[in-house]
Amino acid sequence: RPPPRAKSLVALDAFGGVGGNAIQLAALPQVSHVYCCELVASRAQKARANADLYGVGAKISFLCSDYFSFLGRNERLSSGRGGIDILFLSPPWGGPGSGRKAKKGKQNFKFDIRHFPGLPMNTVGMLDQALSVARVVALYLPRHTDMKELQKIMRAANVHRYEIENNYHHEHFMARTVYICKEDVKAPL
């Protein structure tokens, strides 16, 4: 949900995959441009082909780059002066089917979101960095997210208000999206 604003919005999809989230962002009329970071070249090529198929390819810049390295190379973005309004974080957690094997026999399986495998920082650090870059951050998480752990992470990131949306596909609970506005982050004491 992009923030209300008179000017066109710019979004950054940090973990682009084959482009689904970048395409959805580019399809919004209030979004003028989307940057999409994807580390794997073949997935970035698929993302570009998918965006062209959906008619939004001209609104998306596909970057075959690690999101963290991309921010490090772009001082304007990493300093929060780069004009990124929306940052979409869908860190690699295995997708909607993850946890099925671990869940077998464990009715209360919870997905640990403190640190996503393969990322150079923990979730608190990732949120801190994202909130230094964009006015709005969306964090896409597994449906089995431990909500108490999420609360702890938000407190550690000085986020005092956020909205959680449960995501469904054909009435099947798939994931959660957490929305955070920079205005809802308290300065550390």
Side-chain angles (χ1 to χ4, degrees):
R1 295 177 195 158
R5 195 171 178 181
K7 76 172 193 112
S8 295
L9 301 172
V10 176
L12 171 60
D13 182 356
F15 305 98
V18 294
N21 297 313
I23 291 167
Q24 291 300 311
L25 287 164
L28 295 170
Q30 57 271 60
V31 173
S32 62
H33 197 75
V34 177
Y35 294 96
C36 180
C37 290
E38 174 50 51
L39 185 59
V40 179
S42 62
R43 278 193 291 235
Q45 289 169 347
K46 288 176 186 173
R48 180 178 302 285
N50 288 337
D52 290 341
L53 182 69
Y54 283 94
V56 294
K59 288 178 72 175
I60 306 175
S61 293
F62 292 95
L63 311 164
C64 188
S65 174
D66 171 86
Y67 157 72
F68 301 101
S69 300
F70 172 70
L71 283 184
R73 288 189 313 268
N74 291 279
E75 176 63 30
R76 251 186 71 211
L77 290 180
S78 59
S79 68
R81 298 185 316 262
I84 298 295
D85 299 293
I86 305 163
L87 204 157
F88 192 87
L89 296 169
S90 180
W93 48 266
S98 70
R100 284 193 183 142
K101 290 179 185 169
K103 188 179 174 191
K104 258 186 187 170
K106 292 184 179 182
Q107 196 159 351
N108 295 323
F109 170 74
K110 298 293 181 197
F111 196 97
D112 185 358
I113 61 164
R114 291 173 293 178
H115 192 283
F116 291 90
L119 297 185
M121 63 181 65
N122 65 21
T123 304
V124 172
M126 189 169 53
L127 283 175
D128 285 342
Q129 183 183 56
L131 288 161
S132 74
V133 172
R135 295 182 10 192
V136 174
V137 173
L139 176 62
Y140 187 74
L141 297 171
R143 69 175 180 246
H144 302 297
T145 295
D146 183 335
M147 298 308 285
K148 289 181 183 176
E149 192 63 46
L150 177 62
Q151 289 173 344
K152 290 178 188 175
I153 288 168
M154 292 300 168
R155 276 194 302 274
N158 298 307
V159 175
H160 68 280
R161 273 189 12 197
Y162 52 94
E163 181 181 330
I164 301 172
E165 176 181 60
N166 291 334
N167 308 123
Y168 292 86
H169 181 70
H170 299 293
E171 299 180 18
H172 180 68
F173 183 26
M174 302 295 287
R176 301 177 194 274
T177 306
V178 181
Y179 298 96
I180 308 161
C181 291
K182 189 180 277 193
E183 293 81 27
D184 293 329
V185 178
K186 293 180 182 177
L189 301 176

Coordinates of all heavy atoms in Angstrom, one line a residue, residues 64-144:
C64 N 21.0 -6.8 -12.0 CA 21.5 -8.1 -11.6 C 22.6 -7.8 -10.5 O 23.8 -7.6 -10.8 CB 22.1 -8.8 -12.8 SG 22.6 -10.5 -12.3
S65 N 22.1 -7.6 -9.3 CA 22.9 -7.2 -8.2 C 22.3 -7.7 -6.8 O 21.1 -7.8 -6.7 CB 22.9 -5.7 -8.2 OG 23.6 -5.2 -7.0
D66 N 23.2 -7.9 -5.9 CA 22.8 -8.1 -4.5 C 22.3 -6.8 -4.0 O 22.9 -5.7 -4.1 CB 24.1 -8.6 -3.8 CG 23.9 -8.7 -2.3 OD1 23.4 -9.7 -1.8 OD2 24.2 -7.7 -1.6
Y67 N 21.1 -6.8 -3.3 CA 20.5 -5.6 -2.8 C 21.5 -4.8 -1.9 O 21.6 -3.6 -1.9 CB 19.2 -6.0 -2.1 CG 18.8 -5.0 -1.0 CD1 18.2 -3.8 -1.4 CD2 18.8 -5.3 0.3 CE1 17.8 -2.9 -0.4 CE2 18.4 -4.5 1.3 CZ 17.8 -3.3 0.9 OH 17.4 -2.4 1.9
F68 N 22.2 -5.5 -1.0 CA 23.1 -4.9 0.0 C 24.2 -4.2 -0.7 O 24.6 -3.1 -0.4 CB 23.5 -5.9 1.0 CG 22.4 -6.5 1.8 CD1 22.0 -7.8 1.5 CD2 21.7 -5.8 2.8 CE1 20.9 -8.4 2.1 CE2 20.7 -6.4 3.5 CZ 20.3 -7.7 3.1
S69 N 24.8 -4.9 -1.7 CA 25.9 -4.3 -2.5 C 25.4 -3.1 -3.3 O 26.1 -2.1 -3.4 CB 26.5 -5.3 -3.5 OG 27.0 -6.4 -2.8
F70 N 24.2 -3.2 -3.9 CA 23.6 -2.1 -4.7 C 23.5 -0.9 -3.8 O 23.9 0.2 -4.2 CB 22.2 -2.5 -5.2 CG 21.4 -1.4 -5.8 CD1 21.8 -0.9 -7.1 CD2 20.3 -0.9 -5.2 CE1 21.1 0.1 -7.7 CE2 19.6 0.1 -5.8 CZ 20.0 0.6 -7.0
L71 N 23.0 -1.0 -2.6 CA 22.9 0.2 -1.7 C 24.3 0.7 -1.4 O 24.4 1.9 -1.3 CB 22.2 -0.2 -0.4 CG 20.7 -0.3 -0.5 CD1 20.1 -0.6 0.9 CD2 20.0 0.9 -1.1
G72 N 25.2 -0.2 -1.1 CA 26.6 0.3 -0.8 C 27.2 1.1 -2.0 O 28.0 2.0 -1.7
R73 N 26.9 0.7 -3.2 CA 27.4 1.4 -4.4 C 26.7 2.7 -4.7 O 27.1 3.5 -5.6 CB 27.4 0.5 -5.6 CG 28.4 -0.6 -5.6 CD 28.4 -1.4 -6.9 NE 27.1 -1.7 -7.5 CZ 26.5 -2.8 -7.3 NH1 27.0 -3.8 -6.6 NH2 25.3 -3.0 -7.9
N74 N 25.5 2.9 -4.1 CA 24.7 4.1 -4.4 C 24.5 4.9 -3.2 O 23.5 4.8 -2.5 CB 23.3 3.6 -5.0 CG 23.5 3.0 -6.4 OD1 23.6 3.6 -7.4 ND2 23.6 1.6 -6.4
E75 N 25.5 5.8 -3.0 CA 25.5 6.7 -1.8 C 24.2 7.4 -1.6 O 23.7 7.6 -0.5 CB 26.7 7.6 -1.9 CG 26.8 8.6 -0.8 CD 27.0 8.0 0.6 OE1 27.6 6.9 0.7 OE2 26.5 8.6 1.6
R76 N 23.7 8.0 -2.8 CA 22.4 8.7 -2.7 C 21.3 7.9 -2.1 O 20.5 8.3 -1.3 CB 22.0 9.2 -4.1 CG 22.2 10.7 -4.2 CD 21.6 11.2 -5.5 NE 20.2 11.1 -5.5 CZ 19.4 10.9 -6.6 NH1 20.0 10.7 -7.8 NH2 18.1 10.9 -6.5
L77 N 21.2 6.6 -2.5 CA 20.2 5.8 -2.0 C 20.4 5.4 -0.5 O 19.5 5.5 0.3 CB 20.0 4.5 -2.8 CG 19.5 4.6 -4.2 CD1 19.5 3.3 -4.9 CD2 18.1 5.2 -4.2
S78 N 21.6 5.0 -0.2 CA 21.9 4.5 1.1 C 21.9 5.6 2.2 O 21.7 5.4 3.3 CB 23.3 3.8 1.2 OG 24.3 4.6 0.8
S79 N 21.9 6.9 1.7 CA 21.8 8.0 2.7 C 20.4 8.5 2.9 O 20.1 9.4 3.7 CB 22.7 9.2 2.2 OG 22.1 9.7 1.0
G80 N 19.5 7.9 2.1 CA 18.1 8.3 2.3 C 17.7 9.4 1.4 O 16.6 10.0 1.5
R81 N 18.6 9.9 0.5 CA 18.3 11.1 -0.3 C 18.1 10.6 -1.8 O 18.1 11.5 -2.7 CB 19.5 12.0 -0.3 CG 19.9 12.6 1.0 CD 21.0 13.6 0.9 NE 22.1 13.2 0.1 CZ 23.2 12.6 0.5 NH1 23.4 12.4 1.8 NH2 24.2 12.3 -0.3
G82 N 17.9 9.4 -2.0 CA 17.8 8.8 -3.4 C 16.4 8.8 -4.0 O 16.2 8.3 -5.1
G83 N 15.4 9.2 -3.2 CA 14.1 9.3 -3.8 C 13.3 7.9 -3.8 O 12.4 7.8 -4.6
I84 N 13.7 7.0 -3.0 CA 13.0 5.7 -2.9 C 11.9 6.0 -1.9 O 12.1 6.3 -0.7 CB 13.9 4.6 -2.4 CG1 15.0 4.3 -3.4 CG2 13.1 3.3 -2.2 CD1 14.6 3.8 -4.8
D85 N 10.7 5.8 -2.3 CA 9.5 5.9 -1.5 C 9.1 4.6 -0.8 O 8.7 4.6 0.4 CB 8.3 6.5 -2.3 CG 8.6 7.8 -2.9 OD1 8.8 8.8 -2.1 OD2 8.7 7.9 -4.1
I86 N 9.1 3.6 -1.5 CA 8.7 2.2 -1.1 C 9.8 1.2 -1.2 O 10.4 1.1 -2.3 CB 7.5 1.8 -1.9 CG1 6.3 2.8 -1.8 CG2 7.0 0.4 -1.4 CD1 5.3 2.6 -2.9
L87 N 10.1 0.5 -0.2 CA 11.1 -0.6 -0.3 C 10.4 -1.9 0.1 O 9.9 -2.0 1.2 CB 12.3 -0.3 0.6 CG 13.6 -1.0 0.2 CD1 14.8 -0.3 0.8 CD2 13.6 -2.4 0.6
F88 N 10.4 -2.8 -0.9 CA 9.7 -4.1 -0.6 C 10.8 -5.1 -0.3 O 11.7 -5.4 -1.1 CB 8.9 -4.5 -1.9 CG 8.0 -5.7 -1.6 CD1 6.8 -5.5 -1.1 CD2 8.5 -7.0 -1.9 CE1 5.9 -6.6 -0.9 CE2 7.7 -8.1 -1.6 CZ 6.4 -7.9 -1.1
L89 N 10.7 -5.7 0.9 CA 11.7 -6.7 1.3 C 11.0 -8.1 1.3 O 10.0 -8.3 2.1 CB 12.2 -6.4 2.7 CG 13.0 -5.2 2.9 CD1 13.2 -4.9 4.4 CD2 14.4 -5.3 2.2
S90 N 11.4 -9.0 0.5 CA 10.9 -10.4 0.5 C 12.2 -11.2 0.6 O 12.6 -11.9 -0.3 CB 10.1 -10.7 -0.7 OG 9.7 -12.0 -0.7
P91 N 12.8 -11.3 1.8 CA 14.0 -12.0 2.0 C 13.8 -13.5 1.7 O 12.7 -14.0 1.9 CB 14.5 -11.8 3.4 CG 13.2 -11.3 4.1 CD 12.3 -10.7 3.1
P92 N 14.9 -14.2 1.3 CA 14.7 -15.6 0.9 C 14.4 -16.5 2.1 O 15.3 -16.7 2.9 CB 16.1 -15.9 0.3 CG 17.0 -14.9 0.8 CD 16.2 -13.7 1.1
W93 N 13.2 -16.9 2.2 CA 12.8 -17.8 3.2 C 12.2 -19.1 2.7 O 11.8 -20.0 3.5 CB 11.8 -17.1 4.2 CG 10.7 -16.4 3.6 CD1 10.6 -15.1 3.3 CD2 9.4 -16.9 3.3 NE1 9.4 -14.7 2.8 CE2 8.6 -15.8 2.8 CE3 8.8 -18.2 3.3 CZ2 7.3 -16.0 2.3 CZ3 7.5 -18.3 2.9 CH2 6.7 -17.2 2.4
G94 N 12.1 -19.3 1.4 CA 11.6 -20.5 0.9 C 10.3 -20.5 0.2 O 9.8 -21.5 -0.3
G95 N 9.6 -19.4 0.3 CA 8.3 -19.3 -0.3 C 7.1 -19.8 0.5 O 7.3 -20.4 1.6
P96 N 5.9 -19.7 -0.1 CA 4.7 -20.1 0.7 C 4.7 -21.6 1.1 O 4.0 -21.9 2.1 CB 3.6 -19.8 -0.4 CG 4.1 -18.8 -1.2 CD 5.6 -19.0 -1.3
G97 N 5.3 -22.5 0.4 CA 5.3 -23.9 0.8 C 6.4 -24.2 1.9 O 6.4 -25.3 2.4
S98 N 7.2 -23.3 2.3 CA 8.3 -23.6 3.3 C 7.7 -24.0 4.6 O 6.6 -23.5 5.0 CB 9.2 -22.4 3.5 OG 8.5 -21.3 4.1
G99 N 8.4 -24.8 5.3 CA 7.9 -25.2 6.6 C 7.0 -26.5 6.6 O 6.7 -27.0 7.6
R100 N 6.6 -26.9 5.4 CA 5.7 -28.0 5.3 C 6.3 -29.3 5.9 O 5.7 -30.0 6.6 CB 5.2 -28.3 3.9 CG 4.2 -27.3 3.4 CD 3.5 -27.8 2.1 NE 2.6 -26.7 1.7 CZ 2.4 -26.3 0.5 NH1 3.1 -26.9 -0.5 NH2 1.6 -25.4 0.2
K101 N 7.5 -29.6 5.5 CA 8.2 -30.7 6.1 C 8.4 -30.6 7.6 O 8.2 -31.5 8.3 CB 9.5 -31.0 5.4 CG 9.4 -31.4 3.9 CD 10.7 -31.6 3.3 CE 10.5 -32.0 1.8 NZ 11.7 -31.9 1.0
A102 N 8.9 -29.4 8.0 CA 9.1 -29.2 9.4 C 7.8 -29.2 10.2 O 7.8 -29.6 11.4 CB 9.8 -27.9 9.6
K103 N 6.7 -28.8 9.6 CA 5.4 -28.7 10.2 C 4.8 -30.1 10.5 O 4.1 -30.3 11.4 CB 4.5 -27.9 9.4 CG 3.2 -27.6 10.1 CD 2.3 -26.7 9.2 CE 1.0 -26.5 9.9 NZ 0.0 -25.9 9.0
K104 N 5.2 -31.1 9.6 CA 4.6 -32.4 9.8 C 4.8 -32.9 11.2 O 5.9 -33.0 11.7 CB 5.2 -33.4 8.8 CG 4.4 -33.7 7.6 CD 5.0 -34.8 6.7 CE 4.2 -34.9 5.5 NZ 4.8 -35.7 4.5
G105 N 3.7 -33.2 11.9 CA 3.9 -33.7 13.2 C 4.0 -32.6 14.3 O 4.0 -32.9 15.4
K106 N 4.2 -31.4 13.8 CA 4.4 -30.3 14.8 C 3.3 -29.2 14.4 O 3.5 -28.4 13.5 CB 5.8 -29.6 14.6 CG 6.9 -30.5 15.1 CD 8.2 -29.7 15.0 CE 9.3 -30.6 15.5 NZ 10.6 -29.9 15.5
Q107 N 2.2 -29.2 15.2 CA 1.1 -28.4 14.9 C 1.4 -26.9 15.0 O 0.9 -26.1 14.4 CB -0.1 -28.8 15.7 CG -1.4 -28.2 15.2 CD -2.5 -29.0 15.8 OE1 -2.4 -30.0 16.4 NE2 -3.7 -28.5 15.5
N108 N 2.3 -26.6 15.9 CA 2.6 -25.2 16.2 C 4.0 -24.7 15.7 O 4.6 -23.9 16.3 CB 2.5 -24.9 17.7 CG 1.1 -25.1 18.3 OD1 0.2 -24.8 17.6 ND2 1.0 -25.7 19.4
F109 N 4.4 -25.2 14.5 CA 5.6 -24.8 13.9 C 5.7 -23.3 13.7 O 4.7 -22.7 13.2 CB 5.8 -25.6 12.6 CG 7.0 -25.0 11.8 CD1 8.3 -25.4 12.1 CD2 6.8 -24.2 10.7 CE1 9.3 -24.9 11.4 CE2 7.8 -23.8 9.9 CZ 9.1 -24.1 10.3
K110 N 6.8 -22.7 14.1 CA 7.0 -21.2 13.9 C 8.3 -21.0 13.1 O 9.3 -21.6 13.4 CB 7.1 -20.5 15.3 CG 5.8 -20.6 16.1 CD 4.7 -19.9 15.5 CE 3.4 -20.0 16.3 NZ 2.2 -19.6 15.6
F111 N 8.2 -20.1 12.2 CA 9.4 -19.8 11.3 C 10.2 -18.8 12.0 O 9.7 -17.7 12.4 CB 8.9 -19.3 10.0 CG 10.0 -19.4 8.9 CD1 10.0 -20.4 8.0 CD2 10.9 -18.4 8.8 CE1 11.0 -20.5 7.1 CE2 11.9 -18.4 7.8 CZ 11.9 -19.5 6.9
D112 N 11.5 -19.0 12.2 CA 12.4 -18.1 12.8 C 12.8 -17.0 11.9 O 13.5 -17.3 10.9 CB 13.7 -18.8 13.3 CG 14.6 -18.0 14.1 OD1 14.3 -16.7 14.3 OD2 15.6 -18.5 14.6
I113 N 12.4 -15.8 12.1 CA 12.7 -14.6 11.2 C 13.8 -13.7 11.7 O 14.1 -12.7 11.1 CB 11.5 -13.8 10.9 CG1 10.9 -13.2 12.2 CG2 10.4 -14.6 10.2 CD1 9.9 -12.1 12.0
R114 N 14.5 -14.1 12.8 CA 15.6 -13.3 13.3 C 16.7 -13.0 12.3 O 17.3 -12.0 12.3 CB 16.1 -13.8 14.6 CG 15.1 -13.7 15.8 CD 15.6 -14.4 17.0 NE 15.7 -15.9 16.7 CZ 16.1 -16.8 17.5 NH1 16.6 -16.5 18.7 NH2 16.2 -18.1 17.1
H115 N 17.0 -14.1 11.6 CA 18.1 -14.0 10.5 C 17.7 -14.9 9.4 O 17.5 -16.1 9.6 CB 19.4 -14.3 11.1 CG 20.6 -14.0 10.2 ND1 20.9 -14.7 9.1 CD2 21.4 -12.9 10.2 CE1 21.9 -14.1 8.5 NE2 22.3 -13.0 9.2
F116 N 17.7 -14.4 8.2 CA 17.4 -15.2 7.0 C 18.7 -15.8 6.5 O 19.7 -15.0 6.3 CB 16.7 -14.4 6.0 CG 15.3 -14.0 6.4 CD1 15.0 -12.8 7.1 CD2 14.2 -14.8 6.1 CE1 13.8 -12.5 7.5 CE2 12.9 -14.5 6.5 CZ 12.7 -13.3 7.2
P117 N 18.7 -17.1 6.2 CA 20.0 -17.7 5.7 C 20.6 -17.0 4.5 O 19.8 -16.6 3.6 CB 19.5 -19.1 5.3 CG 18.2 -19.3 6.0 CD 17.6 -18.0 6.2
G118 N 21.9 -16.8 4.5 CA 22.6 -16.3 3.4 C 22.6 -14.7 3.3 O 23.3 -14.2 2.4
L119 N 22.0 -14.1 4.2 CA 22.0 -12.6 4.2 C 23.1 -12.1 5.1 O 23.4 -12.7 6.1 CB 20.6 -12.0 4.6 CG 19.5 -12.4 3.7 CD1 18.2 -11.6 4.2 CD2 19.8 -12.0 2.3
P120 N 23.7 -10.9 4.8 CA 24.9 -10.4 5.5 C 24.5 -9.8 6.9 O 25.4 -9.3 7.6 CB 25.5 -9.4 4.6 CG 24.4 -8.9 3.7 CD 23.5 -10.1 3.6
M121 N 23.2 -9.7 7.2 CA 22.8 -9.0 8.4 C 21.5 -9.6 8.9 O 20.8 -10.3 8.2 CB 22.7 -7.5 8.3 CG 21.6 -7.1 7.3 SD 21.4 -5.3 7.1 CE 23.0 -4.9 6.3
N122 N 21.2 -9.4 10.2 CA 20.0 -10.0 10.8 C 18.8 -9.1 10.4 O 19.0 -8.1 9.7 CB 20.1 -10.1 12.3 CG 20.3 -8.8 13.0 OD1 19.9 -7.7 12.5 ND2 20.8 -8.9 14.2
T123 N 17.6 -9.5 10.8 CA 16.4 -8.8 10.3 C 16.3 -7.4 10.9 O 15.9 -6.5 10.2 CB 15.2 -9.6 10.7 OG1 15.3 -11.0 10.1 CG2 13.9 -9.0 10.2
V124 N 16.8 -7.2 12.1 CA 16.8 -5.8 12.7 C 17.7 -4.9 11.9 O 17.3 -3.8 11.5 CB 17.2 -5.9 14.2 CG1 17.4 -4.4 14.7 CG2 16.2 -6.6 15.0
G125 N 18.9 -5.4 11.5 CA 19.8 -4.6 10.7 C 19.2 -4.3 9.3 O 19.3 -3.2 8.8
M126 N 18.5 -5.3 8.8 CA 17.9 -5.1 7.5 C 16.8 -4.1 7.5 O 16.7 -3.2 6.6 CB 17.4 -6.5 7.0 CG 16.9 -6.5 5.5 SD 16.6 -8.1 4.9 CE 15.4 -8.8 6.1
L127 N 16.0 -4.1 8.6 CA 14.9 -3.1 8.7 C 15.5 -1.7 9.0 O 15.1 -0.7 8.4 CB 14.0 -3.5 9.9 CG 13.0 -4.5 9.6 CD1 12.2 -4.9 10.8 CD2 12.1 -4.1 8.5
D128 N 16.5 -1.6 9.8 CA 17.2 -0.3 10.1 C 17.7 0.3 8.8 O 17.5 1.5 8.5 CB 18.4 -0.5 11.0 CG 18.0 -0.7 12.5 OD1 16.8 -0.4 12.8 OD2 18.8 -1.2 13.3
Q129 N 18.4 -0.5 8.0 CA 18.9 -0.1 6.7 C 17.8 0.3 5.7 O 17.8 1.4 5.1 CB 19.8 -1.2 6.0 CG 20.4 -0.7 4.7 CD 21.2 -1.8 4.1 OE1 20.7 -2.9 3.8 NE2 22.5 -1.6 3.8
A130 N 16.7 -0.5 5.7 CA 15.6 -0.2 4.8 C 14.9 1.1 5.2 O 14.6 2.0 4.3 CB 14.6 -1.3 4.8
L131 N 14.7 1.3 6.5 CA 14.1 2.6 6.9 C 15.0 3.8 6.8 O 14.5 4.9 6.8 CB 13.6 2.4 8.4 CG 12.4 1.4 8.5 CD1 12.3 0.9 9.9 CD2 11.1 2.1 8.0
S132 N 16.3 3.6 6.6 CA 17.1 4.7 6.3 C 17.1 5.1 4.9 O 17.5 6.2 4.5 CB 18.6 4.4 6.7 OG 19.2 3.6 5.8
V133 N 16.5 4.3 4.0 CA 16.5 4.5 2.6 C 15.1 5.0 2.1 O 15.0 5.8 1.3 CB 16.9 3.2 1.8 CG1 16.7 3.3 0.4 CG2 18.3 2.8 2.1
A134 N 14.0 4.4 2.7 CA 12.7 4.6 2.1 C 11.7 5.1 3.2 O 11.9 4.9 4.4 CB 12.2 3.3 1.5
R135 N 10.7 5.7 2.7 CA 9.6 6.2 3.6 C 8.7 5.1 4.1 O 8.1 5.2 5.2 CB 8.8 7.3 2.9 CG 9.6 8.6 2.6 CD 8.7 9.6 2.0 NE 7.4 9.1 2.1 CZ 6.3 9.5 1.6 NH1 6.3 10.4 0.8 NH2 5.1 9.0 1.7
V136 N 8.5 4.1 3.2 CA 7.6 3.0 3.6 C 8.4 1.7 3.3 O 9.0 1.6 2.2 CB 6.3 3.0 2.8 CG1 5.5 1.8 3.0 CG2 5.5 4.3 3.1
V137 N 8.3 0.8 4.2 CA 8.9 -0.5 4.0 C 7.8 -1.6 4.2 O 7.0 -1.6 5.1 CB 10.1 -0.8 5.0 CG1 10.6 -2.2 5.0 CG2 11.2 0.2 4.8
A138 N 7.8 -2.5 3.2 CA 7.0 -3.7 3.3 C 7.9 -4.9 3.4 O 8.8 -5.1 2.7 CB 6.1 -3.8 2.0
L139 N 7.6 -5.7 4.5 CA 8.4 -6.9 4.8 C 7.5 -8.1 4.6 O 6.5 -8.3 5.3 CB 8.9 -6.8 6.2 CG 9.7 -8.0 6.7 CD1 11.0 -8.3 5.9 CD2 10.1 -7.8 8.2
Y140 N 7.8 -8.9 3.6 CA 7.0 -10.1 3.3 C 7.6 -11.3 4.0 O 8.7 -11.6 3.9 CB 7.0 -10.3 1.8 CG 6.1 -11.4 1.2 CD1 4.8 -11.2 1.1 CD2 6.7 -12.6 0.7 CE1 3.9 -12.2 0.6 CE2 5.8 -13.6 0.2 CZ 4.5 -13.4 0.1 OH 3.7 -14.3 -0.4
L141 N 6.7 -12.0 4.8 CA 7.2 -13.0 5.7 C 6.4 -14.3 5.6 O 5.2 -14.3 5.2 CB 7.1 -12.5 7.2 CG 7.9 -11.3 7.6 CD1 7.5 -10.8 9.0 CD2 9.4 -11.7 7.5
P142 N 6.9 -15.4 6.1 CA 6.2 -16.7 6.0 C 5.0 -16.6 6.9 O 4.9 -15.9 7.9 CB 7.2 -17.7 6.6 CG 8.5 -17.0 6.6 CD 8.3 -15.5 6.6
R143 N 4.0 -17.4 6.5 CA 2.7 -17.5 7.3 C 3.0 -18.0 8.7 O 2.3 -17.8 9.7 CB 1.7 -18.3 6.6 CG 2.0 -19.8 6.5 CD 0.9 -20.6 5.9 NE 1.2 -22.0 5.9 CZ 1.4 -22.6 4.8 NH1 1.3 -22.1 3.6 NH2 1.7 -23.9 4.8
H144 N 4.1 -18.8 8.9 CA 4.4 -19.4 10.2 C 5.3 -18.5 11.0 O 5.9 -19.0 11.9 CB 5.1 -20.8 9.9 CG 4.3 -21.8 9.2 ND1 3.1 -22.3 9.6 CD2 4.5 -22.3 8.0 CE1 2.6 -23.1 8.7 NE2 3.5 -23.1 7.7

